[in-house]
Amino acid sequence: MGYELHVTRAAEYYESEEHPIALDEWLAYAERSPTLTQGGWIWWDEDRHPFYVFTCGDGSVVSLTWFEGAIEIKGHFDGDAYREFGGLAEDFQANLQGDDGERYTPSGVLPPIH
């Protein structure tokens, strides 16, 4: 799946700034996670933030970074999105949502709310 996923506390990922995952909360989590490795830096406006890499069950590597209150997951993988990233969303008491608004849950993929 070559697609962008969002870990967000908001009902819709584009509203993440209203119910944010704090940057320092994300960085502390990423630094102590045994499955994430810092992969370099990314610039958002004038700020430099680290991005992290994760190796999926199928061997593909995706990147994770914080942006405007959400954790953004980018890359190509062939596995089940919830199996790969559901635990991360649960750790933040957040939703795992795709670009089209669908939600990935333990019960399967749920359609967009609207």
Side-chain angles (χ1 to χ4, degrees), residues 17-30:
E17 287 183 300
E18 295 172 25
H19 305 281
I21 296 170
L23 175 59
D24 59 344
E25 183 181 9
W26 160 242
L27 294 175
Y29 179 92

Side-chain angles (χ1 to χ4, degrees), residues 22-99:
L23 175 59
D24 59 344
E25 183 181 9
W26 160 242
L27 294 175
Y29 179 92
E31 286 299 317
R32 72 177 180 268
S33 173
T35 62
L36 298 174
T37 305
Q38 187 174 347
W41 299 92
I42 190 165
W43 289 90
W44 296 120
D45 297 321
E46 298 295 318
D47 296 323
R48 182 178 87 151
H49 298 284
F51 72 87
Y52 294 85
V53 294
F54 174 81
T55 303
C56 297
D58 66 359
S60 59
V61 178
V62 297
S63 66
L64 293 89
T65 189
W66 181 91
F67 180 69
E68 295 182 346
I71 300 163
E72 306 294 318
I73 304 168
K74 298 179 183 183
H76 176 82
F77 63 96
D78 291 324
D80 174 84
Y82 193 81
R83 186 172 298 130
E84 297 286 3
F85 306 108
L88 173 70
E90 290 173 5
D91 289 346
F92 283 97
Q93 297 177 338
N95 301 305
L96 180 60
Q97 189 175 41
D99 273 343

Side-chain angles (χ1 to χ4, degrees), residues 3-21 67-74 94-104 112-114:
Y3 198 60
E4 190 166 320
L5 298 170
H6 314 272
V7 176
T8 179
R9 290 183 176 142
E12 299 293 342
Y13 73 87
Y14 51 80
E15 297 172 340
S16 294
E17 287 183 300
E18 295 172 25
H19 305 281
I21 296 170
F67 180 69
E68 295 182 346
I71 300 163
E72 306 294 318
I73 304 168
K74 298 179 183 183
N95 301 305
L96 180 60
Q97 189 175 41
D99 273 343
D100 293 331
E102 75 282 11
R103 285 170 176 67
Y104 296 87
I113 293 174
H114 44 276

